[in-house]
Amino acid sequence: MKLYTYFRSSAAFRVRIALNIKGIAYQSIPIHLLRDGGEHKKPSYRAINPQGRVPALAVDGPAGETILTQSLAIIDYLDETVPEPPLLPGDALGRAKVRALAQVIACDTHPLNNPLVTGYLKSVVGASQEAADRWYAHFIREGFSAMERMVGPGPYCWGDTVTVADLCLVPQMFNARRFKVPVEDFPRLVAITDACMALKPFADAQPSAQPDAE
C-alpha cells in the first residue's frame, strides 16, 4: 500500500494510526501542503485525488491499483479487510455511539478548522490572524465540550478497547495543543489522549515520527 500523507495532517494521522494498529506495512509518500504553493494543488496530485487533499491510500484491487480517499472511508476499508483488531464495537448500538464520537471530530470540528477554511477567512473574508485564531479555538472548544460528555468511562473513548473515535480524537488534540488552545477543561479527553499515546501504533503515527517531519 502507498499512503499519500503530510506529517501535520490530522486526517492522515488517523489513517497512519489505523495502518499501524492493523499491522499493515505501507509506503509513505509525502505531499507537502505548503511548499511551492502546496503540492496537493498540482495536477499530478489532483490526478490521484481530485479533491487535492490528504490522505489518499493506493491499494491493489481486481483491476489494478485503486485510490481510496477520505480518512473515515479508508479506515472503514481497513477495518473490513483486516478485521483484527476491530476498530468498532461488536454490537450495533456501540458502533453507532462510536461512529458518533468520531464524527464529532471528523465531521463537525476538524472541517471548520481545516487550513482551506482558515486560509479563506484571512485571504478572502479579510479576517485578521487574531480573528482566525479565535475561530479555530471556538470550534475546538465546541467539539471537545460535547465529546467530553459523550465518551465512556475509559481508558479510551469507548471503554478498554481502542476504536475509530480514539483515532479521531488524538490528532485533534495534537492540533489544539499546537495552536495553544487550552485543553484543561477537558480532563477526560486529555486522559484518553495520554492513554492512546502510550501505545506504539499511536506513538509511531505522530507527526514528529514521520519521515517528512520538519
Side-chain angles (χ1 to χ4, degrees):
M1 291 186 181
K2 294 184 293 188
L3 179 67
Y4 296 87
T5 182
Y6 177 60
F7 75 107
R8 281 200 182 117
S9 164
S10 59
F13 191 171
R14 297 170 198 154
V15 173
R16 294 195 300 261
I17 299 167
L19 287 163
N20 292 346
I21 288 174
K22 299 293 186 177
I24 300 171
Y26 65 94
Q27 177 187 358
S28 179
I29 302 178
I31 302 296
H32 204 291
L33 301 187
L34 301 177
R35 184 181 298 139
D36 299 328
E39 293 176 352
H40 60 299
K41 297 178 182 178
K42 296 184 180 301
S44 57
Y45 186 65
R46 293 276 182 167
I48 295 167
N49 182 358
Q51 271 195 300
R53 299 190 180 190
V54 293
L57 185 69
V59 302
D60 291 329
E65 187 175 84
T66 298
I67 302 295
L68 303 179
T69 62
Q70 290 291 339
S71 63
L72 292 187
I74 293 171
I75 291 168
D76 278 346
Y77 169 81
L78 296 175
D79 210 29
E80 291 176 9
T81 56
V82 184
E84 295 296 330
L87 294 173
L88 287 168
D91 63 295
L93 186 60
R95 290 194 296 273
K97 292 283 189 177
V98 166
R99 285 186 175 114
L101 284 167
Q103 290 171 22
V104 168
I105 299 298
C107 299
D108 295 336
T109 304
H110 174 243
L112 291 167
N113 289 327
N114 188 285
L116 285 173
V117 173
T118 55
Y120 186 89
L121 284 173
K122 291 184 287 185
S123 64
V124 178
V125 178
S128 65
Q129 183 63 55
E130 180 184 4
D133 289 345
R134 288 200 306 271
W135 169 285
Y136 190 99
H138 171 78
F139 288 107
I140 289 283
R141 286 193 293 267
E142 284 283 304
F144 279 6
S145 293
M147 201 168 183
E148 179 79 7
R149 298 191 298 272
M150 294 168 66
V151 293
Y156 308 116
C157 283
W158 197 250
D160 58 4
T161 303
V162 168
T163 67
V164 65
D166 302 290
L167 275 59
C168 291
L169 170 63
V170 169
Q172 194 67 67
M173 184 66 76
F174 265 68
N175 283 351
R177 286 169 165 162
R178 179 180 168 223
F179 288 99
K180 298 180 172 56
V181 179
V183 295
E184 295 80 9
D185 291 339
F186 315 109
R188 300 179 75 187
L189 302 187
V190 170
I192 291 166
T193 300
D194 291 345
C196 289
M197 288 307 299
L199 304 175
K200 183 173 171 57
F202 284 82
D204 289 349
Q206 67 182 305
S208 62
Q210 303 316 301
D212 59 323
E214 297 175 351

